[in-house]
Amino acid sequence: MKRSEDERMGSRYKELHERLNLWYREHGRHDLPWRQTRDPYRIYLSEIMLQQTQVSTVLERFYFPFLERFPTLAVVAEASEEEVLKAWEGLGYYSRARHLHRTARLCNGVLPSTSQELERLPGIGRSTARAIACFAFDEAAPILDANVRRILYRFFRRRKATERELWRMAERLFDAKRPYDYNQAMMDLGAMICTPKDPRCDLCPLREGCRGRQAPERYPEAKKASKTPVRRAKILLCERGGAWALSQSRERFHGGLWHFPRFEDEVSGEFLGRELARYSHFALEAEIWRVAVLPKDYDKPIGFFTPKSIEELPLGGIDRKIFKKYFGVLSVES
Ligand code: SF4
């Protein structure tokens, strides 16, 4: 009797799951600290930090110092947004820190245990909710981060797919018997084997079932590179009685961070140098000027801070750079 298509695919996936699991046991990144805990907060923090930042950067510079300052989500809830932003300084994409703070307050320092509830919290999308629910609470559901997406496009030989189709593909390939190991394995496979460039199909545990392995780099379709717009601004260092003018951003981008006043028109003062900052959607070319007074047209509210208190404020990346580069000299001069 002929086996049904479902049965055939089922046993094929079963074999692939076995191979993936063996590969993960041997090659997986088991020593990552967020894999050695079931503490939902520590797992959530790693997921949020890793959304836009490489593992090595998170691991070497941010994860442990943040946990030292905020060992539990309850401590995050008790802190001010500014304190959380300060600990996030340098990691970029600051909406993540603001969402973390709001989430901590909304759930009174205790995360819910299902992906459905997690997904209702600020800054937690479907895939992140499922990752937290899976890694902390053993919920059996696939995730769909950038690495997993790339594998699915290639495995199912798709150049394009809607979100809905991608989730359907994720469900098809998912190993519901070992959700934790499967999801971790897929992330590692995407990071180590099925990489954007030069994937190592010869070493891949999924190669027997992968439809795209003849030409993996064709999948998914490459996005057209868009030119990053460049913005220009003058950044003004203005001192009064040993304290320096700063504004606090209220915009969505960089909201809550402090920065030296920015101005676009002509200024009179001393030109100190140029700095370049790259953000996700634009680059900023800045001229740094020391001015005696702020231009009349500068209309943002400002405060004055001593260099010592500036140390304590959450500053934008370019402002922290300027502070480090120029303030030793300026403070001595003033
Ligand atoms: S066989 Fe190649 S293209 Fe397919 S999942 Fe593995 S590494 Fe990616």
Side-chain angles (χ1 to χ4, degrees):
M1 202 172 74
K2 245 180 147 187
R3 286 198 301 162
S4 74
E5 178 72 3
D6 277 0
E7 275 178 309
R8 273 207 310 279
M9 290 314 291
S11 68
R12 194 155 180 216
Y13 284 157
K14 214 169 147 194
E15 275 170 37
L16 293 176
H17 291 155
E18 289 304 325
R19 287 184 197 166
L20 181 65
N21 197 251
L22 282 175
W23 176 85
Y24 175 63
R25 274 201 242 157
E26 199 172 334
H27 303 285
R29 297 173 293 181
H30 305 281
D31 51 352
L32 292 172
W34 43 88
R35 290 192 184 171
Q36 296 182 345
T37 178
R38 302 305 292 267
D39 176 350
Y41 165 60
R42 285 170 182 249
I43 291 166
Y44 162 52
L45 182 67
S46 71
E47 288 295 324
I48 298 293
M49 285 188 166
L50 291 166
Q51 272 172 8
Q52 314 280 355
T53 315
Q54 289 186 339
V55 170
S56 55
T57 310
V58 168
L59 204 52
E60 286 157 24
R61 292 175 42 208
F62 294 101
Y63 187 67
F64 292 112
F66 194 93
L67 281 173
E68 204 166 302
R69 172 67 185 83
F70 298 106
T72 64
L73 197 60
V75 179
V76 178
E78 282 160 18
S80 66
E81 184 187 272
E82 199 163 288
E83 287 172 305
V84 177
L85 284 168
K86 177 68 190 163
W88 204 267
E89 197 183 86
L91 193 50
Y93 297 91
Y94 291 92
S95 58
R96 294 181 294 177
R98 290 193 298 276
H99 286 146
L100 169 70
H101 183 245
R102 275 178 57 211
T103 288
R105 291 205 165 168
L106 278 171
C107 61
N108 290 322
V110 182
L111 285 169
S113 59
T114 67
S115 59
Q116 262 191 343
E117 294 165 290
L118 285 159
E119 217 182 312
R120 287 192 212 115
L121 293 166
I124 302 185
R126 191 172 177 191
S127 182
T128 305
R130 286 170 165 222
I132 301 164
C134 176
F135 302 147
F137 303 109
D138 286 322
E139 186 174 301
I143 60 166
L144 198 53
D145 74 350
N147 282 326
V148 176
R149 279 165 192 269
R150 187 169 55 256
I151 297 172
L152 294 173
Y153 275 115
R154 290 172 175 174
F155 187 87
F156 291 102
R157 204 167 57 200
R158 296 288 298 267
R159 298 203 78 203
K160 287 182 187 171
T162 61
E163 273 305 289
R164 214 166 142 187
E165 288 167 334
L166 278 165
W167 276 110
R168 224 179 292 146
M169 290 189 259
E171 297 283 356
R172 273 178 75 188
L173 189 57
F174 183 56
D175 181 356
K177 289 208 182 91
R178 284 176 289 225
Y180 183 104
D181 288 345
Y182 171 86
N183 281 330
Q184 302 284 17
M186 288 289 278
M187 288 196 292
D188 286 357
L189 196 70
M192 297 154 73
I193 300 285
C194 195
T195 46
K197 286 194 180 133
D198 302 323
R200 300 295 315 271
C201 299
D202 51 330
L203 302 177
C204 179
L206 299 182
R207 68 183 173 276
E208 296 301 328
C210 178
R211 297 187 203 159
R213 70 176 191 276
Q214 305 301 343
E217 289 184 59
R218 270 180 56 77
Y219 313 99
E221 185 178 68
K223 283 193 191 134
K224 284 195 188 91
S226 57
K227 225 175 151 223
T228 314
V230 178
R231 296 185 191 167
R232 291 185 176 80
K234 297 184 174 67
I235 293 185
L236 311 180
L237 307 183
C238 176
E239 183 243 344
R240 200 167 69 191
W244 298 81
L246 286 161
S247 288
Q248 192 172 29
S249 179
R250 290 277 160 233
E251 293 153 22
R252 216 172 127 235
F253 178 70
H254 272 186
L257 294 183
W258 290 85
H259 56 80
F260 296 107
R262 283 150 169 64
F263 200 66
E264 284 172 14
D265 297 336
E266 291 301 305
V267 292
S268 54
E270 181 192 354
F271 173 69
L272 299 176
R274 289 177 208 280
E275 296 295 336
L276 177 70
R278 290 184 196 284
Y279 301 103
S280 54
H281 50 293
F282 69 94
L284 175 67
E285 274 180 17
E287 291 180 1
I288 320 302
W289 287 76
R290 183 173 186 176
V291 295
V293 284
L294 290 175
K296 273 204 281 312
D297 300 350
Y298 187 79
D299 57 358
K300 304 254 166 48
I302 49 165
F304 281 84
F305 299 85
T306 61
K308 196 163 177 346
S309 50
I310 297 175
E311 288 276 3
E312 308 298 319
L313 294 175
L315 293 186
I318 190 167
D319 302 272
R320 176 61 61 199
K321 196 166 156 193
I322 290 166
F323 179 67
K324 283 190 183 148
K325 187 163 169 182
Y326 295 101
F327 269 62
V329 183
L330 294 177
S331 303
V332 171
E333 279 177 4
S334 62

